Amino acid sequence: MATSPRACSSRTAPSAVTCTGCSRSSASPRAGTCGGSPPSTSAEPQSCDSRADRSRLRSVPGTATSDREDTTTMPFVTTSDGTDIFFKDWGSGRPVVLAHGWPLNSDSWEAQQLFLAENGYRAIAHDRRGHGRSTQSWGGNEMDTYADDLATLLDHLDLRDVTLVGFSTGGGEITRYIGRHGTSRVAQAVLVSAVPPLMVRRDDNPGGVPVEVFDGIRAGSAADRSQLYRDLADGPFFGNNRPGANVSQGIRDAFWLQSMAAGHRNAYESIAAFSATDFRDDLAGFDVPTLVIHGDDDQVVPFEVGGKASAALVKGAELIVYPGAPHGITDTHKSRLSEDLLAFLDTYGA
């Protein structure tokens, strides 16, 4: 019987360190907003520096499960510019790192993360800077920094023989990671509905998506991003605008909820990161087994622009096409995707 995955938890003593200037405990993974001065519940008053609190409480987990049993371990790693990156670390075995899409967070991978952790893998998913529970940093909302943040996470956990899996914008993140940091830690790569090699149309990419599409997303984000996210969830992201589609309200609500947890500036600037970054040179440098999975009715990252083009640029890449599938196959095709990921993972060392 598989062992149930356990997420790192910092909630064993939520009132252990409380800021005198705000009502939050530093044990919470989300920073609060200082306002007022409620009495402290800790023995000694603490400052509002959540990063200092985290660094004091955080231990550096090792790669062995036994090294990760301390439930006071904070599930964050701090980057060189002081950004805290949240991550979930489930199961044990060879590591798999899952990078999420825009403007979501690691919760979007929960079905696959749970499945892989229950089937003998150490499944790790992180919130990209500015998304979910990670710091809403002002800068660094571009692919080079996303890749460097990922490198910080892999180095922090000292992961080896990793399979990197990237969905949508996360596919760009892992692709740029390989382009900038190589594959010394990487055993395999998987691109799922991913944005590489280059989304936007330009003279050297005539088949790309017109820039006016992304300008429209930016305009919607600036005007009413809550409604933009609702429209994406109710329409093209999950293919709910297709005849006969029946995507549950829960799935669509989860998309909106995760999207609203992203920082406004972070999500806005990330539109350029996923649409206008050229990953063609990065893909040419792939030297590990690579799987590309894409739906042929993807209305967000069209198949011809994304999966088909990426598979053609990676030597020996395996391409799996989901007929009639939309962009958000982590939810609409969660069982098939989980099984396809597991089958590919199991080929390593076989």
Side-chain angles (χ1 to χ4, degrees), residues 18-344:
T18 303
C19 174
T20 56
C22 62
S23 59
R24 66 167 174 83
S25 161
S26 67
S28 170
R30 294 292 300 271
T33 300
C34 293
S37 300
S40 172
T41 59
S42 61
E44 297 180 3
Q46 303 293 328
S47 73
C48 282
D49 186 353
S50 62
R51 190 173 303 120
D53 291 342
R54 286 173 180 166
S55 65
R56 182 170 64 80
L57 292 176
R58 184 197 295 115
S59 63
V60 179
T63 57
T65 304
S66 60
D67 293 334
R68 297 186 282 122
E69 291 302 318
D70 181 2
T71 56
T72 64
T73 298
M74 293 291 286
F76 290 87
V77 59
T78 303
T79 67
S80 60
D81 70 351
T83 298
D84 285 333
I85 302 296
F86 172 84
F87 64 94
K88 298 187 285 187
D89 191 345
W90 295 355
S92 61
R94 190 169 67 81
V96 183
V97 174
L98 303 153
H100 64 80
W102 175 92
L104 305 173
N105 59 55
S106 59
D107 292 348
S108 64
W109 275 119
E110 62 185 9
Q112 290 74 35
Q113 187 178 12
L114 179 63
F115 179 83
L116 295 175
E118 288 180 332
N119 282 275
Y121 288 91
R122 181 180 176 186
I124 300 162
H126 63 290
D127 291 355
R128 187 174 302 114
R129 67 167 55 217
H131 297 68
R133 288 137 292 203
S134 293
T135 303
Q136 292 186 7
S137 57
W138 185 252
N141 304 303
E142 32 74 26
M143 284 293 170
D144 286 354
T145 303
Y146 295 162
D148 293 348
D149 291 348
L150 179 58
T152 298
L153 176 64
L154 267 60
D155 292 347
H156 174 74
L157 298 176
D158 193 23
L159 301 178
R160 308 283 177 176
D161 297 325
V162 181
T163 296
L164 295 178
V165 184
F167 168 75
S168 194
T169 300
E173 179 181 337
I174 71 165
T175 299
R176 182 52 53 91
Y177 170 87
I178 290 176
R180 285 174 69 83
H181 299 277
T183 55
S184 62
R185 293 185 179 272
V186 181
Q188 297 171 307
V190 185
L191 299 174
V192 180
S193 304
V195 299
L198 173 61
M199 284 198 70
V200 72
R201 179 182 297 169
R202 62 190 204 189
D203 290 345
D204 64 346
N205 190 43
V209 178
V211 69
E212 290 78 12
V213 172
F214 305 113
D215 288 341
I217 297 173
R218 276 184 279 265
S221 180
D224 186 349
R225 72 185 185 117
S226 180
Q227 189 59 50
L228 170 69
Y229 301 151
R230 177 63 68 195
D231 292 344
L232 287 171
D234 290 344
F237 196 91
F238 299 111
N240 201 49
N241 55 349
R242 295 306 197 205
N246 186 25
V247 180
S248 76
Q249 189 68 53
I251 287 176
R252 290 178 281 140
D253 286 351
F255 177 95
W256 177 87
L257 185 65
Q258 290 178 46
S259 300
M260 289 304 296
H264 192 1
R265 174 182 168 91
N266 307 105
Y268 183 90
E269 292 196 343
S270 190
I271 297 166
F274 73 68
S275 66
T277 303
D278 188 343
F279 299 99
R280 288 175 289 192
D281 288 344
D282 303 295
L283 290 168
F286 275 40
D287 58 0
V288 295
T290 300
L291 173 64
V292 179
I293 300 175
H294 216 107
D296 66 6
D297 192 32
D298 189 328
Q299 301 171 70
V300 177
V301 182
F303 170 64
E304 292 78 9
V305 173
K308 183 178 180 180
S310 287
L313 291 174
V314 178
K315 184 177 180 180
E318 176 186 359
L319 174 62
I320 298 178
V321 181
Y322 288 8
H327 186 64
I329 57 177
T330 51
D331 283 300
T332 63
H333 292 64
K334 62 178 62 176
S335 294
R336 179 176 178 184
L337 178 59
S338 294
E339 293 287 354
D340 284 341
L341 290 174
L342 181 62
F344 181 68

